[in-house]
Amino acid sequence: MQIKVKDKFFVPYLSKEQIEKSVNAIAIQINQDYKDEEVIFIGVLNGVFMFASDLLKNIKLDCKICFTKVSSYQGTQSTGKVKNLIGINEDLKGKNVIILEDIVDTGLTMRHVRKQILDLEPKSLEIAALIFKPESFKEEYNVKYRGFDTPNDFIVGYGLDYDGYAREYPDIYILKND
Ligand code: IMP
Ligand code: MG
């Protein structure tokens, strides 16, 4: 069933069952890769809240989670500028850090978050993103843990928003082209 969000229509794209499977697979991978190690997860608000919550329920490691907030999007277009709204207060020196993002699109937001974290001298740094848009990504760094690679279309639901709306849907929807 299509949904209407403000002035746009979206159609079903990824079901909550597909998302759950994918999030569990990422958790299993992280549990294996960091066996007997401690991890600090840093979630990028707001979009990551559902992904972070479901992922962390399946993590079997000594871990902490904290959040940072940056802003770059207005409507469905990137403004190209990243603003820091909530910074990182955690001591990351010598720690294994994994950044959690709902979606990595051009990679500009992640470049900014990554740089701030690298300045705090972690022992290791990786990225876990539920959605990755390979056609749009223009950066040098690696996004190691990925749920889904998607085409360049705008999607909402499971934390992802259109102007702040539609984050509450358990499934993911894609913009209807007409
Ligand atoms: P980037 O800086 O271009 O990689 O954009 C990353 C941020 O833009 C993400 O944290 C999302 O909040 C937002 N974003 C990018 N693509 C979409 C989309 O298709 N739907 C909703 N939000 C998106
Ligand atoms: Mg986001």
Side-chain angles (χ1 to χ4, degrees):
M1 270 275 252
Q2 70 177 21
I3 56 166
K4 184 167 190 259
V5 186
K6 292 184 77 180
D7 56 332
K8 297 193 192 306
F9 288 95
F10 294 81
V11 291
Y13 182 56
L14 298 168
S15 69
K16 62 175 189 287
E17 290 77 17
Q18 284 173 291
I19 297 168
E20 186 184 351
K21 252 193 211 158
S22 176
V23 173
N24 288 347
I26 295 174
I28 288 169
Q29 195 63 53
I30 291 173
N31 288 336
Q32 282 171 1
D33 292 353
Y34 293 85
K35 197 171 183 304
D36 302 324
E37 302 244 5
E38 189 178 315
V39 173
I40 299 185
F41 293 96
I42 299 183
V44 184
L45 293 171
N46 291 326
V48 82
F49 75 100
M50 283 208 191
F51 175 47
S53 166
D54 288 342
L55 183 80
L56 266 280
K57 286 178 226 169
N58 291 291
I59 293 296
K60 314 264 182 266
L61 303 166
D62 286 338
C63 70
K64 288 186 183 180
I65 182 161
C66 62
F67 294 91
T68 182
K69 185 170 181 179
V70 294
S71 144
S72 72
Y73 266 63
Q74 268 166 8
T76 59
Q77 290 296 309
S78 175
T79 59
K81 291 193 197 100
V82 182
K83 273 198 298 187
N84 227 9
L85 303 176
I86 299 174
I88 298 158
N89 300 314
E90 193 72 29
D91 181 11
L92 302 180
K93 199 176 166 77
K95 305 286 189 181
N96 296 308
V97 175
I98 302 179
I99 307 171
L100 303 179
E101 251 287 30
D102 49 355
I103 184 164
V104 175
D105 181 16
T106 63
L108 185 80
T109 309
M110 186 54 72
R111 187 207 301 174
H112 176 89
V113 174
R114 231 183 131 255
K115 189 179 171 302
Q116 287 191 325
I117 294 173
L118 286 173
D119 286 346
L120 299 173
E121 301 175 38
K123 175 177 160 193
S124 68
L125 178 61
E126 297 294 349
I127 298 165
L130 180 69
I131 310 278
F132 183 69
K133 291 185 177 171
E135 292 161 25
S136 165
F137 189 71
K138 301 188 197 87
E139 301 288 321
E140 301 289 306
Y141 55 81
N142 183 34
V143 178
K144 183 167 183 181
Y145 305 101
R146 301 176 190 178
F148 302 92
D149 283 8
T150 73
N152 242 345
D153 305 291
F154 198 76
I155 56 182
V156 295
Y158 196 74
L160 293 156
D161 70 300
Y162 168 42
D163 262 359
Y165 292 97
R167 294 194 196 275
E168 72 278 18
Y169 289 95
D171 309 276
I172 291 179
Y173 295 78
I174 196 159
L175 188 62
K176 188 178 174 184
N177 289 313
D178 41 17

